[in-house]
Amino acid sequence: RYLEERITSGKSLLKNIQERHHTLYRIGQELVQRQRAFFSSAEGKLTPLTMKEVANAIHLHESTIV
């Protein structure tokens, strides 16, 4: 019984890590897309951007972006 609980807990942890990885990837994609000028030229400037804007763009709650 103990081992079954540990295995279930481990699987849950791995699933949560995979979900966080996917979320970070989506955040990164959105940042690169919105800050394209900054990344593509030496004179590029960052565009002001809030966590709420990123969250809305990728359909997540703002607290997830932190």
Side-chain angles (χ1 to χ4, degrees), residues 22-34:
H22 182 68
T23 299
L24 290 172
Y25 180 78
R26 290 174 56 203
I27 292 168
Q29 282 183 313
E30 186 64 25
L31 292 176
V32 169
Q33 180 181 347
R34 289 183 178 237

Side-chain angles (χ1 to χ4, degrees), residues 1-12:
R1 184 90 181 138
Y2 173 79
L3 287 177
E4 288 175 359
E5 291 173 2
R6 298 298 100 208
I7 289 171
T8 300
S9 177
K11 286 180 180 180
S12 177

Side-chain angles (χ1 to χ4, degrees), residues 16-26:
N16 290 338
I17 291 171
Q18 288 174 331
E19 286 178 13
R20 185 61 178 161
H21 176 266
H22 182 68
T23 299
L24 290 172
Y25 180 78
R26 290 174 56 203

Side-chain angles (χ1 to χ4, degrees), residues 23-62:
T23 299
L24 290 172
Y25 180 78
R26 290 174 56 203
I27 292 168
Q29 282 183 313
E30 186 64 25
L31 292 176
V32 169
Q33 180 181 347
R34 289 183 178 237
Q35 303 292 350
R36 189 168 305 278
F38 174 77
F39 291 113
S40 63
S41 74
E43 299 82 32
K45 295 182 180 174
L46 287 172
T47 304
L49 186 62
T50 65
M51 289 187 290
K52 186 170 187 143
E53 290 172 307
V54 174
N56 288 338
I58 61 175
H59 308 291
L60 292 174
H61 190 270
E62 183 180 352

